[in-house]
Amino acid sequence: MNAITSNSLLLPARLPLPDFPSLTNAGMKSDIEALLTEGFSLLNQANHIATGNELAFIRQLDAWENRIHQVWSVLSNLNATCNTPELRETYNALLPELSRYYTEQGQNKPLYQAYLSIHDSADFANLTTARQTSIRLALRDFKLSGVALEGDEKTRYASITERLSQLSSQFSDHLLDATQAYVRPLAEHELAGLPESSLALVKQMAASRANDFAADQKVEAAATLDAPVYIAILTYADDRALREELYRAYVTRASELATVPNATAQDNSEVLVEILALRSEMAQLLGFSSYAELSLASKMAPNVATVREFLVDIASKAIEPAKQDLVELKAEGEQSGLLDLQPWDTAYLAEKVKQRQYNLSQETLKPYFPAHVVISGLFQVAKRLYGIDIEQREAPVWADGVQYYEIMEQGKLVAGFYFDLYARSSKRGGAWMSGFRPRMRTEQGLQLPIAFMVGNFTPPVDGKPALLSHDELVTLFHEFGHGLHHMLTEVDVLSVAGVNGVAWDAVELPSQFMEFWTWEPEALALISKHDDTGESLPADMLNALLAARHFQSGMQALRQIEFALFDLDIHHAQPAPNLTQVQSILDEIRAQYSVLTPPAYNRFQHGFSHIFAGGYAAGYYSYKWAEVLASDAFDRFENEGIFNAETGQSFRQSVLAVGGSKIALETFRDFRGRDASVEALLRHNGWQSSKTTDQTV
Ligand SMILES: [Zn+2]
């Protein structure tokens, strides 16, 4: 690798950082292998921990964890952002051994006993809150990993987890293969309605999928089921039959109704039924009444009944707005003679309404959001809320365009972070935050946290600054919210510092919370400045942006709730449902909560990878749950001033500083002085009248 540094004109970094240019695959591989050997030998030593030495042993294990994380996080970041065949091979070769280590750790009885004896000792009360919580969470996780199982049950548990990981990976492989199996040439007349950027996309597809067509077939444009192409056609194509054809192909992917080549081999029917059955069996082995209850055992939400009630309550608030959304779409359809609105028409008609009613296009907004302006605006927002200063510093980085910063507070160093914001071909899609180092007390002293935030924004072209869309702005603030959670922690115990140990359904609170500032005129004045004229966002564009914010929010919310209820119900049903029952559970939810019933051939469940191949099983509700927390947290800022520094400090101390060292329910109560209320979310979605009571109509 060439020596890449972020910017040699800057002052050098103060924190010790990975020296990216000098890293090699072989070096990282052998470091991780050596650390794994050390880890397994530590686990063996757990067999003879001397009485009274338990905490010292756990600290030793923490130190090991910290060291392996430092190498592993660098390798996995490179694998995700600068992927090469060699990196992928190294990563995939190490992954099974790493998982084996954690399975063994989770079922290690002597280690469990060590935690338990600390917990039950008289000294427990004298430990710091963070250490106490970390021990409680560890005990919980031992139980959820089956540490208490013996004999046949233990063997059965191990084979279930192994089979489940195979099935998850099969589910996503099938879906990926099914998505790729479809390609369809587009005739000239079928391109009507597509804007410039979508035309470029379908032409690019024709070129990249040329091998799928006969040599003498001249294909200029092609449709695939890749998300950007599918969304572009459903949103813009005037040809209704084309939209329907694409819709049908998309919603039957990996199902028995798919018609692509090799469809039978990609059918997820049996996979999803077996996953549900094994999850249910696993829950029973661990003493839970259903997999949903097992999933909730480590989340903020207390039980299935509460989550269901929560979802049904929001659905009841969203249903009227959703019906109105539908009326609006129907009216738009009728203008062009489209009288029987179908699911493949909604995105298309919504776009028409949006353009006509709000006169809003992301393209005209972009020049107001040059990346350097947005980043400096973001830092000003952080300064006003939390009193922190952020400085760019010179550091070794992993790719061109990556920038390194340090957070200072009253002259004291607090944390460091990297921004790797722009798309490149070797980077995996999406946006995320992760850490290279957690805050932690080590033998060498206090280790400060280091985070990195990755995006796939449109890169700068022709030496001009990158211009961000408002959506990208929201994403940047979102990821930075996760970053602040990781970096402003004041906890120094590894497993509960920053985002570590935070319940899955609460972890999106700081991130969704930060998004609110991208919708505030006072903040937008700091974040926007036209690339040529230097003007901030003009009032008419600002108003259009704000007016369109809640467009179709009723229908969107109902869709999320439909997915969340389906996820919850299939994981709570006893015995585990078969394929027909899965379908009827979905049908029942749709009959109640869908304003536009999908056609009978819709096999959404066969492509629901969040719950069958990702970590969201009986946890899809988390999106809405955290949105309620974030909305309600922001509500206090609306009352006290969106830049009120005292309120900012209160949020920082109650939520960001404590990380996972306190349960989420308590951190929220500390900030709001009460439990979360759904009112603010309803208002933020525009489903209730404005907060001011003296408003005249
Ligand atoms: Zn997030």
Side-chain angles (χ1 to χ4, degrees), residues 478-479 482 508 511:
H478 178 105
E479 298 309 331
H482 284 307
E508 297 292 336
S511 51

Side-chain angles (χ1 to χ4, degrees), residues 181 223 246 258 411 460:
L246 258 278

Side-chain angles (χ1 to χ4, degrees), residues 431-433 478-479 482 507-509 511-512 515 616 623:
W432 63 93
M433 185 291 297
H478 178 105
E479 298 309 331
H482 284 307
V507 86
E508 297 292 336
L509 160 62
S511 51
Q512 300 199 36
E515 291 180 20
Y616 280 88
Y623 285 111

Side-chain angles (χ1 to χ4, degrees), residues 477-491:
F477 273 62
H478 178 105
E479 298 309 331
F480 197 66
H482 284 307
L484 290 175
H485 203 185
H486 186 74
M487 295 186 287
L488 295 185
T489 193
E490 289 170 17
V491 175

